[in-house]
Amino acid sequence: MYRPYLKITKPGIIGGNLVAAIGGVLLASQGNIDWLLLLAVCMGTSLIVASGCVFNNVIDKDIDRLMKRTCERELVKNVIPVSHALIWATVLGLSGFYILSQFTTTVALQFGVLGFVVYVGLYSLYYKRKSVYGTLIGGLSGACPPVIGYCAVTGHFDAGAAILFVTFCIWQLPHSYAIAIYRFDDYKAASIPVLPVEVGIARARLHIIAYIIAFAVAALALNYLGYAGSWYALGVGLVSLHWLYIAKVGYQKVPDTQWGKQMLLCSIANIMVFCLLISLDFSAGDLSENYQASNTVVSTLLERS
């Protein structure tokens, strides 16, 4: 009886966001981990993401029935009444926000609210169906979990949090385009205006390559500003080069849908490696020193501009 309710929370998406949130906590903790805070971040973030996914299932019920990979979902098959799903989503969301408000920081809660509002209110209700920029809007939401984890520790939004936000937002774009290419016929059948459907796979590939390069630059900024170590920089550089190789060379060797699947798997592997590296190879220095140093760099750049 409980399994359909679990499935509409999209456990796979919860798992990916949970890894990102944990990575943010461990990066900010710099080895001094508050395990109760980590547990609160995990529970609060997971519940908020689960709530957003259930609301998304309700909103997307009409287009889910048009796509092969989603036509068997519980709401499409009426296994769960929409009214029950809405109650379930509300309970999950309120529980998640309560945990973040009581056991983390105000900034972490604010990013929890931001991610939820963007995903449900902007992306699911409007931009996913109406604009090619829907992927970018969705990416803003997907970039919130690591920032929630980071700011739950620091209590403020600094350069490290900004880098995490930008890096994850950029990563979402080639990742989502890869899904759209892999499931091209589904997106076309449902008239979802993703970039590969709107401008063609060949042009979308150029965007993917540009975003992979931008991802590497953004991610390496953590090392440049002293938030992560040299092993982190080496690892991020290598996985980014491999991702770029698949984007440039792999495209010529296999059919589009197979290449899309390869890119999808590669993007998932890359972000998992990124999260692992920020968890293990953080800078040995004081995070407050990194905060001051990064602000000095930013101020210098602004003065020169």
Side-chain angles (χ1 to χ4, degrees):
M1 183 64 181
Y2 69 90
R3 290 179 66 87
Y5 288 90
L6 177 62
K7 289 180 71 175
I8 63 173
T9 64
K10 302 183 182 178
I13 293 179
I14 294 174
N17 283 279
L18 184 58
V19 170
I22 292 172
V25 170
L26 297 182
L27 174 65
S29 297
Q30 301 283 287
N32 300 311
I33 304 170
D34 182 335
W35 294 102
L36 289 178
L37 179 62
L38 177 61
L39 179 61
V41 169
C42 290
M43 292 180 62
T45 304
S46 296
L47 288 168
I48 292 170
V49 172
S51 174
C53 287
V54 176
F55 276 118
N56 177 262
N57 266 321
V58 173
I59 295 167
D60 283 355
K61 181 180 177 182
D62 60 328
I63 58 177
D64 278 348
R65 62 168 46 97
L66 303 175
M67 297 168 37
K68 185 180 297 185
R69 72 182 180 93
T70 59
C71 64
E72 297 294 326
R73 283 181 174 172
E74 284 67 24
L75 288 174
V76 175
K77 291 294 187 180
N78 295 316
V79 175
I80 299 174
V82 170
S83 59
H84 290 189
L86 290 173
I87 294 171
W88 176 225
T90 302
V91 170
L92 290 169
L94 292 176
S95 299
F97 291 128
Y98 176 80
I99 290 172
L100 289 187
S101 67
Q102 295 298 309
F103 301 103
T104 65
T105 66
T106 301
V107 183
L109 174 62
Q110 289 171 342
F111 272 92
V113 173
L114 174 65
F116 180 85
V117 170
V118 170
Y119 183 67
V120 176
L122 297 181
Y123 174 72
S124 297
L125 283 173
Y126 182 79
Y127 280 96
K128 179 177 180 178
R129 299 165 181 259
K130 300 294 185 180
S131 173
V132 73
Y133 298 109
T135 305
L136 176 60
I137 299 300
L140 296 175
S141 175
C144 288
V147 182
I148 292 172
Y150 185 95
C151 292
V153 176
T154 65
H156 55 253
F157 184 82
D158 61 10
I163 293 168
L164 283 178
F165 186 82
V166 171
T167 301
F168 272 80
C169 187
I170 294 172
W171 171 82
Q172 294 274 348
L173 294 164
H175 172 73
S176 298
Y177 294 157
I179 295 174
I181 293 169
Y182 177 42
R183 301 291 189 181
F184 186 87
D185 291 339
D186 275 352
Y187 280 83
K188 190 172 182 179
S191 299
I192 299 174
V194 288
L195 191 70
V197 173
E198 292 296 296
V199 305
I201 294 174
R203 284 184 59 187
R205 172 175 165 269
L206 299 178
H207 287 257
I208 288 173
I209 290 172
Y211 285 126
I212 291 173
I213 296 171
F215 166 82
V217 173
L220 289 172
L222 282 176
N223 172 256
Y224 180 75
L225 294 179
Y227 290 89
S230 56
W231 286 109
Y232 161 84
L234 177 62
V236 166
L238 289 175
V239 297
S240 297
L241 284 174
H242 177 256
W243 197 7
L244 188 61
Y245 173 83
I246 298 297
K248 288 183 65 66
V249 180
Y251 177 75
Q252 303 167 356
K253 296 182 177 181
V254 296
D256 289 343
T257 54
Q258 187 176 341
W259 176 74
K261 184 177 181 180
Q262 289 178 354
M263 288 296 295
L264 170 61
L265 295 175
C266 189
S267 68
I268 294 172
N270 280 14
I271 204 64
M272 291 297 130
V273 170
F274 174 84
C275 291
L276 178 64
L277 289 172
I278 62 173
S279 300
L280 298 178
D281 193 31
F282 45 80
S283 171
D286 187 351
L287 195 64
S288 62
E289 294 177 1
N290 294 339
Y291 176 60
Q292 294 297 329
S294 62
N295 281 345
T296 300
V297 171
V298 172
S299 298
T300 302
L301 291 174
L302 289 175
E303 289 173 1
R304 292 178 179 176
S305 61

